[in-house]
Amino acid sequence: MTTTQPETAVGAAADYLDQRTGIAGAVKEFARKVFPDHWSFLLGEIALYSFVVLLISGGFLTMFFVPSMGFTTYPTDSLPVTMQGVEMSEAFASTLHMSFEVRGGLLMRQIHHWAALLFMASIVTHMMRVFFTGAFRKPRELNWLVGFTLMILGLLAGFSGYSLPDDVLSGNGLRIADGVAKSIPIIGAFVSYALFGGEFPGEHIIPRLFTVHILLVPALILAFVGIHLLMVVLHKHTQYPGGGRSSKNVVGFPLFPVYVAKAGGFFFIVFGVLALMGATLSINNVWNYGPYDPSPVSAGAQPDWYMLFLEGGLRLMPGWEWVIGGFTIPINILVPGVVIPGLLFTFLALYPFIEARVTQDKSEHHVLDRPRNVPVRTGLGVAFLTAFVILVLAGSNDLIATHFEMSINTITWIFRVAFFVAPVFAFMVTKRLCLALQRKDRELVLHGHEAARLVRFESGEVIEVHKPLSDQERWLRVNYQAHAPLVIEPGEDARGVRRKGYAADKRWQALSRFFYEDRIEPVTPAEIANAHGAHTAVEQSDDAPQIGH
């Protein structure tokens, strides 16, 4: 049997690799994978590309950073002038050296920092898209947990990198972390001791954070990104509802060559924007703060935006402390530093499983929800985002006070009240808006668009003629499932014996009522036929003259 030999070097290399790995089949299958085309799917790509930029810029910075808390004196012939002859740690000195003495060092530092901010922003917005559209439903619950873990790892990567320069701002953040760790009852002191290798700040925290930042967390992020992408391929991509789209198909374009070209171009766009931001937008100028000293804490000392909600919680919490059995429980730190983040992250991690339990829906879902069709889920998402925004604003209450010449105590009390009232109000308004939009959709399906044409009958009755919806518009508004509250078995059987598990079923039923008691049923084919029959009769009436447009 004769075989055709590749004529090009690339073909020969590909043939060599295929004969030894069998990779051609996998590449062929993956290249034919169809992906839907929608701008919101780019959010995940932005997270991936910003992480690649982080790896590239971080590799450069690693060659010049010295992860040591040993003392040194900054040279008197080096920039900046304000730091000459100042005693500082080697970590801070190396940060200044790479910023002012290494060619391109400051640019790389700023690109790295902006990429970290964009990485977390794109992860959060990507998770918001997944949450509001129900992309976490079966079979993607585990992939939701993978994405959730990536968000936590991103927070850890950001905090560990933010703390490395050993300046006043990052040192204050480490001091807060030490206080939060010590606020945990019973084990808090041991956690702090293990983290810092002794009393704060010790001499080991910077080398440990360096190892975590450049080795442990990036390796875990790469592993979870691989798992996340593998699950996307295995489950096939979700798609927005529309005509011809179902859970059995994917309407879009193949990975190769369409999305390969798009992805490559989009990566350079993200890289270019980050490079432009790094070159023109100054960030984290550590020489303005100076080396870490536990005595000064200046106004306007805020962490990066993704950690600002923790700062806001600490600023809002009253200075309460409980003494139980001779032990002091610092509620003012424990609640905002441990309890509130724990509740938020637990809600995010468990929500897909809670919703699946209250719906008893065991079918697979590959078509996304319209947020208006799941009012309670959408309301809960908006409520938690509202609470998050309030905490972020509270983390800047000193800047708000100085810029707007307001009392910081007044601002703090406004945010305290808003933290409890605003999320509830946001939930109620969002839920009502979603229900109103559903009613609007129902009205459109039954009666169509207003055509601005009036018809008068011989009896004197005047009606407005409506233009029917297209098949695509109608499909979008009727093709969804309005879940009903759970129906459970009676509490007692025919012999009067109380059923085991009835109390738990009652609780789940009450939760399902909260989710689905207020709902708008989609329009049925019979309702559409009746409504369209009436409109057709009006439009075909020859005895009904037009009286206006």
Side-chain angles (χ1 to χ4, degrees), residues 178 182 188-199 208:
D178 176 57
K182 288 179 178 177
F190 300 100
V191 172
S192 174
Y193 188 91
L195 179 64
F196 291 93
E199 287 295 325
R208 291 179 178 181

Side-chain angles (χ1 to χ4, degrees), residues 248-498:
K248 298 181 180 180
N249 67 359
V250 178
V251 178
F253 300 96
L255 179 67
F256 186 85
V258 177
Y259 274 101
V260 169
K262 283 188 175 183
F266 192 51
F267 167 74
F268 287 107
I269 290 175
V270 173
F271 203 159
V273 170
L274 288 173
L276 181 64
M277 294 173 69
T280 59
L281 303 177
S282 181
I283 189 170
N284 199 25
N285 300 325
V286 295
W287 52 91
N288 290 334
Y289 314 130
Y292 179 63
D293 183 344
S295 56
V297 179
S298 62
Q302 278 80 25
D304 288 335
W305 73 267
Y306 50 83
M307 299 296 291
L308 197 53
F309 76 103
L310 288 175
E311 176 83 9
L314 291 167
R315 295 189 183 196
L316 291 186
M317 188 68 188
W320 296 345
E321 291 183 350
W322 295 350
V323 179
I324 302 176
F327 293 93
T328 300
I329 309 297
I331 300 298
N332 57 331
I333 300 176
L334 181 64
V335 170
V338 179
V339 176
I340 291 179
L343 291 175
L344 172 63
F345 293 142
T346 301
F347 169 81
L348 288 176
L350 298 182
Y351 183 85
F353 305 96
I354 295 173
E355 185 174 298
R357 180 65 176 80
V358 297
T359 58
Q360 292 292 311
D361 186 1
K362 302 185 183 301
S363 59
E364 291 191 0
H365 297 274
H366 302 290
V367 178
L368 300 172
D369 285 328
R370 300 176 77 200
R372 67 181 63 183
N373 293 334
V374 276
V376 172
R377 181 207 296 161
T378 305
L380 287 173
V382 173
F384 272 83
L385 285 175
T386 302
F388 177 82
V389 170
I390 290 172
L391 290 178
V392 168
L393 292 174
S396 303
N397 60 353
D398 53 344
L399 293 178
I400 296 174
T402 55
H403 280 68
F404 294 96
E405 299 182 357
M406 298 173 63
S407 167
I408 193 170
N409 293 327
T410 301
I411 295 172
T412 300
W413 272 105
I414 290 174
F415 284 138
R416 284 174 178 172
V417 174
F419 178 74
F420 293 99
V421 174
V424 177
F425 181 76
F427 170 80
M428 296 171 61
V429 171
T430 303
K431 180 182 175 182
R432 290 295 119 192
L433 285 175
C434 289
L435 292 172
L437 289 172
Q438 284 183 270
R439 292 189 182 95
K440 177 65 174 177
D441 285 344
R442 184 179 180 86
E443 190 73 14
L444 282 173
V445 171
L446 291 176
H447 304 292
H449 296 290
E450 295 180 356
R453 185 163 65 93
L454 301 179
V455 173
R456 183 176 62 193
F457 293 94
E458 290 182 352
S459 62
E461 179 186 4
V462 178
I463 68 170
E464 182 181 13
V465 178
H466 288 68
K467 177 184 177 182
L469 272 65
S470 67
D471 292 339
Q472 290 282 352
E473 291 176 311
R474 187 181 304 112
W475 179 272
L476 182 65
R477 289 165 173 81
V478 302
N479 189 36
Y480 71 93
Q481 181 180 4
H483 292 286
L486 291 179
V487 177
I488 63 175
E489 298 179 3
E492 297 179 352
D493 58 19
R495 297 174 296 175
V497 178
R498 187 171 180 81

